[in-house]
Amino acid sequence: MSDREVVVLSVGGVRFVTWASTLQQFPESRLARMLSDDDWEFKLVNGEFFVDRDGTLFSYIMEFLRTLQVSLPTDFSDYQRLQREAEFYGLYPLADLLSQEHLLKPRLEILEVRFSLQEMQAFFRIFGSCSTTVETLAEQITVFTGQQSGQSWNSPFPSLVPLPLERPSHHDMVFQCGTDYSAGDQLVARYVSIKPDNRKLINGTNVLGLLLDTLLKDGFRLISTRTVSSEDKVECYSFERMKRAAGLTVTVSQTLGSSRVAQAKRSQAQKGK
């Protein structure tokens, strides 16, 4: 059978259509041998290969053959059943990855927003358990600043300059907005913009509302609000979300004495864990 020939499989009544080359990713597997061997588990009926196995789980196996990556939904729980299916089809590199269940399970992320109002300024500090998430959020937030004489503070600022966010560590960031007087009676204003919203906001309450809305849209869930310091008017908003584990990838390389050898490796997406 040529690599570009279309193959139709019926797995437990669920129909799959793919290229022969996809099923031949691992020549030692039963799916690859099915195309040329007489395997009693696979019946050729009206041009379709039929096998009495779990069709729902086979969709993950097909995704693995197409991408050489294991990336499961956050609500997935049938790791052992999927591992048995992988062993049945002779896909031992996949079975080996599934045996590392702790690497594939979703992780609970915690993120905390601290907010303080002091006169005409608002101060923000964001801490997250996942540095990658904090890094991504830092790329969405921009602080712009401008100055002008105190006598003309009601007029628009002629120009605004972006400021870098303070990053005390990989897991947190600090920024502020509002107005303040600097030396020489110069009024300093700081505006905050949070992508994909293109507005520049100076009011701390408005910035807080947009920030919380952004986190909720990104899959976080607000789990608690509390006052950290009533004297300093510091409020704390705690969020959590289940984040899908980074995919594990199998590389397939050509070697002497063997048509293909599969070797599992961690995806670079594990950065920041």
Side-chain angles (χ1 to χ4, degrees):
M1 180 174 287
S2 67
D3 288 352
R4 304 309 292 173
E5 189 165 342
V6 173
V7 179
V8 180
L9 298 93
S10 177
V11 183
V14 182
R15 197 167 180 264
F16 297 88
V17 181
T18 187
W19 296 112
S21 57
T22 301
L23 300 176
Q24 293 167 341
Q25 286 279 13
F26 300 92
E28 296 80 11
S29 71
R30 291 182 75 175
L31 288 171
R33 299 199 312 268
M34 171 192 74
L35 303 178
S36 56
D37 292 350
D38 183 17
D39 190 325
W40 67 273
E41 291 276 8
F42 298 87
K43 300 296 182 182
L44 189 59
V45 181
N46 297 327
E48 298 184 8
F49 289 97
F50 174 80
V51 59
D52 190 17
R53 304 294 296 190
D54 191 310
T56 300
L57 293 178
F58 190 75
S59 64
Y60 299 114
I61 289 175
M62 281 303 306
E63 184 65 19
F64 169 74
L65 290 173
R66 288 167 175 150
T67 66
L68 297 181
Q69 187 176 80
V70 184
S71 184
L72 301 171
T74 55
D75 59 350
F76 186 81
S77 60
D78 290 335
Y79 294 93
Q80 292 184 348
R81 288 182 59 209
L82 184 55
Q83 182 180 352
R84 287 196 298 269
E85 292 300 295
E87 290 171 348
F88 169 81
Y89 293 110
L91 294 170
Y92 297 107
L94 173 58
D96 290 342
L97 290 183
L98 290 167
S99 68
Q100 304 176 69
E101 184 178 329
H102 64 288
L103 300 179
L104 296 169
K105 282 187 173 180
R107 291 170 171 79
L108 179 65
E109 275 192 70
I110 301 296
L111 192 138
E112 184 178 277
V113 176
R114 293 200 174 197
F115 171 68
S116 174
L117 275 176
Q118 299 179 17
E119 297 182 350
M120 299 298 292
Q121 297 186 85
F123 299 85
F124 295 82
R125 183 159 194 163
I126 302 174
F127 173 85
S129 60
C130 176
S131 63
T132 304
T133 298
V134 176
E135 191 71 36
T136 300
L137 187 59
E139 293 174 357
Q140 294 178 254
I141 299 175
T142 306
V143 177
F144 298 89
T145 185
Q147 293 185 357
Q148 62 182 205
S149 170
Q151 281 77 24
S152 58
W153 68 273
N154 281 321
S155 62
F157 284 88
S159 62
L160 295 175
V161 179
L163 290 177
L165 296 180
E166 294 181 49
R167 297 294 307 277
S169 75
H170 292 295
H171 289 273
D172 59 349
M173 72 182 82
V174 179
F175 62 93
Q176 66 188 82
C177 66
T179 57
D180 188 27
Y181 281 99
S182 64
D185 199 32
Q186 290 289 310
L187 184 68
V188 179
R190 291 183 177 86
Y191 295 80
V192 173
S193 176
I194 305 177
K195 298 178 182 177
D197 192 296
N198 58 9
R199 292 174 296 168
K200 294 181 178 67
L201 303 176
I202 195 171
N203 181 279
T205 303
N206 292 341
V207 173
L208 177 65
L210 179 58
L211 175 60
L212 300 186
D213 187 57
T214 300
L215 294 173
L216 292 172
K217 288 180 178 178
D218 201 30
F220 280 98
R221 183 172 64 93
L222 181 63
I223 57 174
S224 70
T225 60
R226 68 183 191 278
T227 301
V228 178
S229 171
S230 56
E231 182 178 345
D232 297 329
K233 299 180 180 179
V234 179
E235 299 174 354
C236 178
Y237 299 80
S238 298
F239 294 82
E240 70 175 19
R241 73 173 175 183
M242 294 300 293
K243 185 177 181 182
R244 177 186 295 189
L248 296 182
T249 303
V250 166
T251 57
V252 181
S253 58
Q254 197 80 17
T255 60
L256 294 175
S258 176
S259 57
R260 289 178 180 179
V261 176
Q263 180 182 6
K265 69 176 183 180
R266 291 292 298 277
S267 167
Q268 290 183 352
Q270 290 289 342
K271 176 184 175 184
K273 299 298 179 187

Coordinates of all heavy atoms in Angstrom, one line a residue, residues 194-246:
I194 N -4.1 47.4 28.7 CA -4.0 46.0 28.8 C -4.6 45.4 27.5 O -5.8 45.5 27.2 CB -4.8 45.4 30.0 CG1 -4.4 46.1 31.3 CG2 -4.7 43.9 30.1 CD1 -5.2 45.7 32.5
K195 N -3.7 44.7 26.7 CA -4.2 44.1 25.5 C -5.2 43.0 25.8 O -5.1 42.3 26.8 CB -3.0 43.5 24.7 CG -2.0 44.6 24.3 CD -0.8 43.9 23.6 CE 0.3 45.0 23.2 NZ 1.4 44.3 22.6
P196 N -6.1 42.7 24.9 CA -6.3 43.3 23.6 C -7.1 44.6 23.6 O -7.3 45.2 22.6 CB -7.1 42.3 22.8 CG -7.9 41.6 23.9 CD -7.0 41.6 25.1
D197 N -7.5 45.1 24.8 CA -8.1 46.4 24.9 C -7.1 47.5 24.6 O -6.0 47.5 25.1 CB -8.7 46.6 26.3 CG -9.6 47.7 26.5 OD1 -9.2 48.9 26.3 OD2 -10.8 47.5 26.8
N198 N -7.5 48.5 23.8 CA -6.5 49.5 23.3 C -6.7 50.8 24.1 O -6.0 51.8 23.7 CB -6.6 49.7 21.8 CG -8.0 50.2 21.4 OD1 -8.9 50.4 22.3 ND2 -8.3 50.2 20.1
R199 N -7.5 50.8 25.1 CA -7.6 52.1 25.9 C -6.4 52.3 26.8 O -5.8 51.4 27.3 CB -8.9 52.0 26.7 CG -10.2 52.1 25.9 CD -11.4 51.9 26.8 NE -11.4 50.5 27.5 CZ -12.2 50.2 28.5 NH1 -13.0 51.1 29.0 NH2 -12.1 49.0 29.0
K200 N -6.2 53.6 27.1 CA -5.2 54.0 28.1 C -6.0 54.5 29.3 O -6.6 55.6 29.2 CB -4.2 55.0 27.6 CG -3.3 54.5 26.5 CD -2.4 55.6 26.0 CE -1.4 55.1 24.9 NZ -2.1 54.7 23.7
L201 N -5.9 53.8 30.4 CA -6.7 54.1 31.6 C -5.9 54.7 32.7 O -4.8 54.2 33.0 CB -7.5 52.9 32.1 CG -8.4 52.2 31.1 CD1 -8.9 50.9 31.7 CD2 -9.5 53.1 30.6
I202 N -6.4 55.8 33.4 CA -5.6 56.4 34.4 C -6.3 56.1 35.8 O -5.6 56.2 36.8 CB -5.5 57.9 34.2 CG1 -4.4 58.5 35.1 CG2 -6.8 58.6 34.3 CD1 -4.0 59.9 34.7
N203 N -7.6 55.9 35.8 CA -8.3 55.6 37.0 C -8.0 54.2 37.5 O -8.2 53.2 36.8 CB -9.8 55.8 36.8 CG -10.6 55.6 38.1 OD1 -10.9 54.4 38.4 ND2 -10.9 56.7 38.7
G204 N -7.5 54.1 38.8 CA -7.1 52.8 39.3 C -8.3 51.8 39.4 O -8.0 50.6 39.1
T205 N -9.5 52.2 39.7 CA -10.6 51.3 39.8 C -10.9 50.7 38.4 O -11.3 49.5 38.2 CB -11.8 52.0 40.4 OG1 -11.5 52.5 41.7 CG2 -13.0 51.0 40.5
N206 N -10.8 51.6 37.4 CA -11.1 51.1 36.0 C -10.0 50.1 35.5 O -10.3 49.1 34.9 CB -11.1 52.3 35.0 CG -12.3 53.2 35.3 OD1 -13.3 52.8 35.9 ND2 -12.2 54.5 34.8
V207 N -8.8 50.4 35.9 CA -7.7 49.5 35.5 C -7.9 48.1 36.2 O -7.8 47.0 35.6 CB -6.3 50.0 35.9 CG1 -5.2 49.0 35.7 CG2 -6.0 51.3 35.1
L208 N -8.3 48.2 37.5 CA -8.6 46.9 38.3 C -9.7 46.1 37.6 O -9.6 44.9 37.4 CB -8.9 47.3 39.7 CG -9.3 46.1 40.6 CD1 -8.1 45.1 40.7 CD2 -9.8 46.5 41.9
G209 N -10.7 46.8 37.2 CA -11.9 46.1 36.6 C -11.4 45.4 35.3 O -11.8 44.3 35.0
L210 N -10.6 46.1 34.5 CA -10.2 45.6 33.2 C -9.2 44.4 33.4 O -9.3 43.4 32.7 CB -9.5 46.7 32.4 CG -8.9 46.2 31.0 CD1 -10.0 45.6 30.1 CD2 -8.2 47.4 30.3
L211 N -8.4 44.5 34.4 CA -7.4 43.4 34.7 C -8.2 42.2 35.2 O -7.9 41.1 34.7 CB -6.5 43.9 35.8 CG -5.5 42.9 36.4 CD1 -4.6 42.3 35.2 CD2 -4.6 43.5 37.5
L212 N -9.1 42.3 36.1 CA -9.9 41.2 36.6 C -10.7 40.6 35.4 O -10.8 39.3 35.3 CB -10.8 41.6 37.7 CG -10.2 42.2 39.0 CD1 -11.2 42.4 40.0 CD2 -9.0 41.3 39.5
D213 N -11.3 41.4 34.6 CA -12.0 40.9 33.4 C -11.1 40.1 32.5 O -11.5 39.0 31.9 CB -12.7 42.0 32.7 CG -13.6 41.5 31.6 OD1 -14.5 40.7 31.9 OD2 -13.4 41.9 30.4
T214 N -9.9 40.6 32.3 CA -8.9 39.9 31.4 C -8.5 38.5 32.0 O -8.5 37.6 31.2 CB -7.6 40.8 31.3 OG1 -8.0 42.0 30.7 CG2 -6.6 40.1 30.4
L215 N -8.3 38.4 33.3 CA -8.0 37.2 33.9 C -9.2 36.2 33.8 O -9.0 35.0 33.5 CB -7.6 37.4 35.3 CG -6.3 38.2 35.6 CD1 -6.1 38.5 37.1 CD2 -5.1 37.4 35.0
L216 N -10.4 36.6 34.0 CA -11.6 35.8 33.9 C -11.7 35.2 32.5 O -12.0 34.1 32.3 CB -12.8 36.5 34.3 CG -12.9 36.9 35.8 CD1 -14.1 37.8 36.1 CD2 -12.9 35.6 36.7
K217 N -11.5 36.1 31.5 CA -11.6 35.6 30.1 C -10.5 34.7 29.7 O -10.6 33.9 28.8 CB -11.5 36.9 29.2 CG -12.8 37.7 29.2 CD -12.7 38.9 28.2 CE -13.9 39.7 28.2 NZ -13.8 40.9 27.4
D218 N -9.4 34.7 30.5 CA -8.2 33.8 30.2 C -8.4 32.5 30.9 O -7.4 31.7 31.0 CB -6.9 34.5 30.6 CG -5.7 33.9 29.9 OD1 -5.9 33.3 28.8 OD2 -4.6 33.9 30.5
G219 N -9.5 32.2 31.6 CA -9.8 30.9 32.2 C -9.6 30.9 33.7 O -9.8 29.8 34.3
F220 N -9.2 32.0 34.3 CA -9.1 32.0 35.7 C -10.4 32.1 36.4 O -11.4 32.7 35.8 CB -8.2 33.2 36.2 CG -6.7 32.9 36.0 CD1 -6.0 33.4 34.9 CD2 -6.0 32.2 37.0 CE1 -4.7 33.1 34.8 CE2 -4.6 31.9 36.8 CZ -4.0 32.4 35.7
R221 N -10.5 31.7 37.6 CA -11.7 31.7 38.4 C -11.4 32.5 39.7 O -10.4 32.1 40.4 CB -12.2 30.3 38.8 CG -13.5 30.3 39.5 CD -14.0 28.8 39.6 NE -13.1 28.0 40.4 CZ -13.2 27.7 41.7 NH1 -14.2 28.3 42.4 NH2 -12.4 26.9 42.3
L222 N -12.2 33.5 40.1 CA -12.0 34.2 41.3 C -12.5 33.4 42.5 O -13.6 33.0 42.5 CB -12.8 35.6 41.2 CG -12.7 36.5 42.5 CD1 -11.2 36.9 42.6 CD2 -13.6 37.7 42.3
I223 N -11.5 33.1 43.4 CA -11.9 32.2 44.5 C -12.0 33.0 45.8 O -12.7 32.5 46.8 CB -10.9 31.1 44.6 CG1 -9.4 31.6 44.8 CG2 -10.9 30.1 43.5 CD1 -8.4 30.5 45.1
S224 N -11.4 34.1 45.9 CA -11.5 34.9 47.2 C -11.1 36.3 47.0 O -10.3 36.7 46.2 CB -10.7 34.2 48.3 OG -9.3 34.4 48.1
T225 N -11.7 37.2 47.9 CA -11.3 38.6 48.0 C -11.1 38.9 49.5 O -11.9 38.4 50.3 CB -12.3 39.6 47.4 OG1 -13.5 39.4 48.1 CG2 -12.5 39.3 45.9
R226 N -10.1 39.6 49.8 CA -9.9 39.9 51.2 C -9.1 41.3 51.3 O -8.4 41.7 50.4 CB -9.1 38.8 51.9 CG -7.6 38.7 51.5 CD -7.0 37.5 52.2 NE -5.5 37.5 52.0 CZ -4.9 37.0 51.0 NH1 -5.6 36.4 50.0 NH2 -3.6 37.0 50.9
T227 N -9.2 41.9 52.5 CA -8.4 43.1 52.8 C -7.2 42.7 53.5 O -7.3 42.2 54.6 CB -9.3 44.1 53.6 OG1 -10.5 44.4 52.9 CG2 -8.5 45.3 53.9
V228 N -6.0 43.0 52.9 CA -4.8 42.6 53.5 C -4.4 43.6 54.6 O -4.0 43.2 55.7 CB -3.6 42.6 52.5 CG1 -2.3 42.2 53.1 CG2 -4.0 41.5 51.4
S229 N -4.6 44.9 54.3 CA -4.3 45.9 55.3 C -5.4 47.0 55.2 O -5.4 47.7 54.2 CB -2.9 46.5 55.0 OG -2.7 47.7 55.8
S230 N -6.2 47.2 56.2 CA -7.3 48.2 56.1 C -6.7 49.6 56.3 O -7.2 50.6 55.7 CB -8.3 48.0 57.2 OG -7.6 47.9 58.5
E231 N -5.5 49.7 57.0 CA -4.9 51.0 57.2 C -4.3 51.5 55.8 O -4.4 52.6 55.5 CB -3.8 50.8 58.2 CG -3.1 52.1 58.5 CD -2.0 52.0 59.6 OE1 -2.0 51.0 60.3 OE2 -1.2 52.9 59.7
D232 N -3.7 50.6 55.1 CA -3.1 51.0 53.8 C -4.0 50.8 52.6 O -3.7 51.0 51.5 CB -1.8 50.2 53.5 CG -0.7 50.5 54.6 OD1 -0.7 51.6 55.1 OD2 0.1 49.6 54.9
K233 N -5.2 50.3 52.9 CA -6.3 50.0 51.9 C -5.7 49.1 50.8 O -5.9 49.4 49.6 CB -6.7 51.4 51.3 CG -7.4 52.3 52.3 CD -7.8 53.6 51.6 CE -8.4 54.6 52.6 NZ -8.9 55.8 52.0
V234 N -5.2 48.0 51.2 CA -4.7 47.0 50.3 C -5.7 45.8 50.2 O -6.0 45.2 51.2 CB -3.3 46.4 50.7 CG1 -2.8 45.3 49.7 CG2 -2.3 47.5 50.9
E235 N -6.2 45.6 49.0 CA -7.1 44.5 48.7 C -6.4 43.4 47.9 O -5.6 43.7 47.1 CB -8.3 45.0 47.9 CG -9.1 46.1 48.7 CD -10.2 46.7 47.8 OE1 -10.3 46.3 46.6 OE2 -11.1 47.5 48.3
C236 N -6.8 42.2 48.2 CA -6.2 41.0 47.5 C -7.3 40.2 46.9 O -8.3 39.8 47.5 CB -5.4 40.2 48.5 SG -4.7 38.7 47.8
Y237 N -7.0 39.9 45.6 CA -8.0 39.1 44.8 C -7.2 37.8 44.4 O -6.1 37.9 43.7 CB -8.4 39.8 43.5 CG -9.2 41.1 43.8 CD1 -8.5 42.3 44.1 CD2 -10.6 41.1 43.8 CE1 -9.2 43.5 44.4 CE2 -11.3 42.3 44.1 CZ -10.6 43.5 44.4 OH -11.3 44.6 44.7
S238 N -7.7 36.7 44.8 CA -7.1 35.4 44.5 C -7.8 34.6 43.4 O -9.0 34.5 43.4 CB -7.0 34.5 45.7 OG -6.2 35.2 46.7
F239 N -7.0 34.1 42.4 CA -7.6 33.4 41.3 C -6.9 32.0 41.2 O -5.8 31.8 41.7 CB -7.3 34.1 40.0 CG -8.0 35.4 39.8 CD1 -7.5 36.6 40.4 CD2 -9.2 35.5 39.1 CE1 -8.1 37.8 40.3 CE2 -9.9 36.8 39.0 CZ -9.3 37.9 39.6
E240 N -7.6 31.1 40.5 CA -7.1 29.8 40.2 C -7.6 29.3 38.9 O -8.7 29.7 38.4 CB -7.3 28.8 41.3 CG -8.8 28.3 41.4 CD -9.0 27.2 42.4 OE1 -8.2 27.0 43.3 OE2 -10.1 26.5 42.3
R241 N -6.9 28.4 38.2 CA -7.4 27.8 37.0 C -6.6 26.5 36.9 O -5.4 26.3 37.3 CB -7.2 28.6 35.8 CG -5.8 28.8 35.3 CD -5.8 29.5 33.9 NE -4.4 29.8 33.5 CZ -4.0 30.4 32.4 NH1 -5.0 30.9 31.7 NH2 -2.8 30.6 32.1
M242 N -7.2 25.5 36.2 CA -6.5 24.3 35.8 C -5.9 24.5 34.4 O -6.6 24.8 33.5 CB -7.5 23.1 35.8 CG -8.1 22.8 37.1 SD -6.8 22.3 38.4 CE -6.2 20.8 37.7
K243 N -4.6 24.4 34.4 CA -3.9 24.6 33.1 C -3.5 23.3 32.5 O -2.9 22.5 33.2 CB -2.7 25.5 33.3 CG -2.0 25.9 32.0 CD -0.9 26.8 32.2 CE -0.2 27.2 30.9 NZ 0.9 28.1 31.1
R244 N -3.8 23.1 31.2 CA -3.4 21.8 30.6 C -1.8 21.7 30.6 O -1.1 22.6 30.4 CB -3.8 21.9 29.1 CG -3.4 20.6 28.3 CD -3.7 20.8 26.9 NE -5.1 20.8 26.6 CZ -5.7 20.7 25.4 NH1 -4.9 20.7 24.4 NH2 -7.0 20.8 25.3
A245 N -1.4 20.5 30.9 CA 0.0 20.2 31.0 C 0.6 20.4 29.6 O 0.0 20.2 28.6 CB 0.3 18.8 31.5
A246 N 1.9 20.8 29.5 CA 2.6 21.0 28.3 C 2.7 19.6 27.6 O 2.8 18.6 28.2 CB 4.0 21.5 28.5

